[in-house]
Amino acid sequence: IAEGKAALIEKTWTLGPAQNPAILTCALRQGPAHFINLAPGPDDSFALIDLPVTVREDTRHEKMRGSIRGWIQPQIPVAQALEEYSRWGGTHHSALLLGRHAEGLAAFADFGGVEFTRIEGKS
C-alpha cells in the first residue's frame, strides 16, 4: 500500500510503563480506492458502505512523516459524501481498499448477507 519505501521508526509511548513500539510509516500509494465501512443496523443487521475515492499525493506537513498518511478525495463533493455516509450509518471504524473492486465488494456483501450501498451521488 506504500507509495515508495516504508520506514520503520520508534514511536514514543506515553500511556503507561510499556517500551516504545516500532511502527511502519509511509504515504499511501496514489490512485483509485474504496473507503469502506461495515455499519451496524437495526436488529443485529449490517450494511457495507462503499465510497469510491482517489488517494492523492503525500502531505507536505513534516509532523505527519511519523505516521501512515494519505489524503483521499471522494468522486462527489465532500459535503455530499459525508451526508450520504452519515445517512447510511457509517462509523469511524473504516478501511481503505486500494484499486477498483466494486463488483467484488458487492459480491462480498451478498455472500455475507449484508445490505450493500455505494455512495455515488444523487441521480
Side-chain angles (χ1 to χ4, degrees):
I1 67 167
E3 180 79 31
K5 188 174 181 179
L8 184 65
I9 65 169
E10 180 179 352
K11 194 78 167 182
T12 302
W13 183 259
T14 60
L15 300 176
Q19 293 181 349
N20 288 344
I23 64 166
L24 284 174
T25 68
C26 67
L28 298 176
R29 187 172 60 237
Q30 296 178 50
H34 299 266
F35 184 81
I36 55 177
N37 185 268
L38 190 58
D43 302 318
D44 295 325
S45 65
F46 290 91
L48 184 63
I49 302 168
D50 171 23
L51 176 63
V53 297
T54 301
V55 178
R56 296 293 179 195
E57 68 277 351
D58 193 3
T59 181
R60 293 188 181 106
H61 299 284
E62 193 59 38
K63 290 184 178 184
M64 293 297 295
R65 297 290 174 196
S67 62
I68 293 178
R69 58 201 181 270
W71 295 102
I72 61 172
Q73 179 180 7
Q75 296 176 349
I76 59 176
V78 172
Q80 182 182 352
L82 291 173
E83 181 179 338
E84 291 293 319
Y85 185 78
S86 296
R87 184 175 291 129
W88 282 97
T91 70
H92 66 279
H93 292 285
S94 301
L96 187 68
L97 177 61
L98 300 180
R100 284 289 180 239
H101 305 284
E103 291 176 10
L105 286 168
F108 177 77
D110 185 56
F111 179 78
V114 299
E115 185 174 0
F116 178 71
T117 188
R118 181 172 298 113
I119 300 173
E120 297 179 296
K122 298 175 182 171
S123 36

Short mmCIF file of all heavy atoms in Angstrom, two decimals, residues 3 12 41 54 57 64 70 96:
data_model
loop_
_atom_site.label_atom_id
_atom_site.label_comp_id
_atom_site.label_asym_id
_atom_site.label_seq_id
_atom_site.Cartn_x
_atom_site.Cartn_y
_atom_site.Cartn_z
N GLU A 3 3.41 4.19 -1.06
CA GLU A 3 3.96 4.94 -2.19
C GLU A 3 5.44 5.09 -1.90
O GLU A 3 5.84 5.86 -1.03
CB GLU A 3 3.28 6.32 -2.28
CG GLU A 3 3.76 7.18 -3.43
CD GLU A 3 3.15 6.78 -4.76
OE1 GLU A 3 2.00 6.31 -4.77
OE2 GLU A 3 3.82 6.95 -5.77
N THR A 12 7.30 7.25 20.42
CA THR A 12 7.25 7.47 21.86
C THR A 12 5.92 6.98 22.42
O THR A 12 4.86 7.32 21.89
CB THR A 12 7.44 8.96 22.19
OG1 THR A 12 8.69 9.39 21.65
CG2 THR A 12 7.42 9.20 23.68
N GLY A 41 -26.69 -1.96 11.91
CA GLY A 41 -28.05 -1.50 11.66
C GLY A 41 -29.00 -2.06 12.70
O GLY A 41 -28.57 -2.64 13.70
N THR A 54 -10.30 8.71 -4.51
CA THR A 54 -8.98 8.72 -5.13
C THR A 54 -7.97 9.10 -4.06
O THR A 54 -8.19 10.08 -3.32
CB THR A 54 -8.92 9.74 -6.29
OG1 THR A 54 -9.90 9.37 -7.26
CG2 THR A 54 -7.54 9.75 -6.94
N GLU A 57 -1.75 12.93 -3.51
CA GLU A 57 -0.32 13.00 -3.18
C GLU A 57 -0.10 13.11 -1.68
O GLU A 57 -0.98 13.49 -0.92
CB GLU A 57 0.37 14.15 -3.91
CG GLU A 57 -0.06 15.53 -3.47
CD GLU A 57 -1.34 16.04 -4.11
OE1 GLU A 57 -1.85 15.42 -5.06
OE2 GLU A 57 -1.85 17.08 -3.66
N MET A 64 3.70 15.03 10.01
CA MET A 64 2.95 13.83 9.64
C MET A 64 3.85 12.69 9.16
O MET A 64 3.39 11.59 8.93
CB MET A 64 1.94 14.18 8.53
CG MET A 64 0.83 15.09 8.98
SD MET A 64 -0.22 14.38 10.26
CE MET A 64 -0.95 13.03 9.37
N GLY A 70 -2.34 9.69 4.28
CA GLY A 70 -2.87 9.77 2.94
C GLY A 70 -4.04 10.73 2.89
O GLY A 70 -4.78 10.88 3.87
N LEU A 96 -9.57 1.22 3.97
CA LEU A 96 -9.30 1.75 2.64
C LEU A 96 -8.80 0.60 1.78
O LEU A 96 -7.80 -0.05 2.12
CB LEU A 96 -8.25 2.86 2.71
CG LEU A 96 -7.99 3.61 1.41
CD1 LEU A 96 -9.22 4.43 1.01
CD2 LEU A 96 -6.78 4.51 1.55
#
